[in-house]
Amino acid sequence: MERVNNLNKGIIVVDCQNDFISGSLACHNGEEAVDNIINLINRNKNFKVFYSCDWHSKSNKSFKVNGGIWPVHCIVEAKGSQLHKNFYKNIENVKQSPLNEENIFYKGQDDDIEEYSAFYAKNSKGESLNNKIPKEVIVCGIASEYCVRETIKELLKYDFKVSLFLEGIGYVDKDEHNKNIEELKSLDINII
């Protein structure tokens, strides 16, 4: 019976891309988060896995050079925009891997809109993440105070059952991360 239920559970891996791990916007705990997420996925081989990716053009308005607040990051097809290589090498069930390109959902493609949440991200077939995920999801990834937080808030708004995998989180600022986790705890989510 438990196995049937697992098919209705998913893992959303938010923005575990090179620029957020070792590049222009490198976050704390990025490498460790990736390793822990891969272990989580390998322990739950029946879960569906979805990867979100920031996917920007050079003229994106979120960049400082274009009037925004962030350094240039996650430019389409650049090395910094790629998911961490270990997701391709170390996930045991290929159906859960980004080698299956339909598992990757792109966001931030509209230069004029700051899109932290992965909720409306689209895969290569134009399918929106919110239409593909099961009602029960575990969220993990980078960065705690921005894209992870906004993805969770959007999921809750639409009545998804959400768990946050704490060991699979990277963050920009330790204090802001801790404050964010406390706030998320006060919402209707499960911290695992």
Side-chain angles (χ1 to χ4, degrees):
M1 192 62 166
E2 182 61 29
R3 189 171 270 175
V4 172
N5 288 339
N6 285 350
L7 294 174
N8 296 318
K9 292 182 181 175
I11 299 171
I12 300 173
V13 180
V14 177
D15 299 0
C16 285
Q17 297 161 270
N18 292 326
D19 273 343
F20 297 129
I21 296 167
S22 57
S24 61
L25 258 171
C27 292
H28 302 283
N29 206 50
E31 291 280 353
E32 297 85 349
V34 167
D35 290 342
N36 292 332
I37 292 166
I38 290 169
N39 289 335
L40 175 74
I41 293 168
N42 287 338
R43 286 195 314 268
N44 295 283
K45 288 190 170 62
N46 292 326
F47 284 35
K48 295 174 181 169
V49 181
F50 308 87
Y51 302 85
S52 75
C53 285
D54 251 11
W55 206 244
H56 300 314
S57 78
K58 290 179 180 170
S59 54
N60 191 281
K61 299 279 193 306
S62 73
F63 299 156
K64 280 181 189 166
V65 295
N66 299 325
I69 62 169
W70 300 110
V72 173
H73 63 278
C74 299
I75 298 297
V76 172
E77 303 296 349
K79 184 177 187 289
S81 68
Q82 303 306 310
L83 288 165
H84 193 285
K85 66 183 184 305
N86 288 353
F87 287 110
Y88 294 89
K89 295 191 322 190
N90 298 338
I91 290 178
E92 294 160 4
N93 178 354
V94 168
K95 286 183 181 172
Q96 296 178 304
S97 155
L99 289 166
N100 178 355
E101 288 188 11
E102 288 176 30
N103 293 343
I104 306 174
F105 292 78
Y106 302 97
K107 65 188 183 67
Q109 296 181 83
D110 183 330
D111 285 345
D112 298 320
I113 296 171
E114 182 66 83
E115 191 177 13
Y116 290 130
S117 170
F119 193 72
Y120 297 107
K122 289 186 168 50
N123 67 10
S124 58
K125 294 171 82 176
E127 299 167 319
S128 187
L129 180 67
N130 63 306
N131 291 324
K132 298 292 289 180
I133 51 177
K135 283 308 260 186
E136 190 171 337
V137 291
I138 298 169
V139 178
C140 49
I142 305 169
S144 166
E145 317 94 303
Y146 297 95
C147 298
V148 170
R149 169 193 173 82
E150 294 308 317
T151 299
I152 288 172
K153 289 178 89 172
E154 199 94 46
L155 287 162
L156 292 173
K157 192 160 74 171
Y158 291 96
D159 298 321
F160 285 84
K161 184 176 179 192
V162 180
S163 297
L164 174 65
F165 178 49
L166 208 47
E167 291 179 359
I169 298 293
Y171 52 87
V172 176
D173 176 87
K174 182 75 169 167
D175 290 338
E176 289 301 313
H177 164 64
N178 289 336
K179 208 186 319 181
N180 177 49
I181 296 304
E182 288 310 307
E183 185 182 324
L184 291 175
K185 281 179 182 172
S186 73
L187 303 176
D188 190 20
I189 71 166
N190 182 27
I191 305 281
I192 58 171

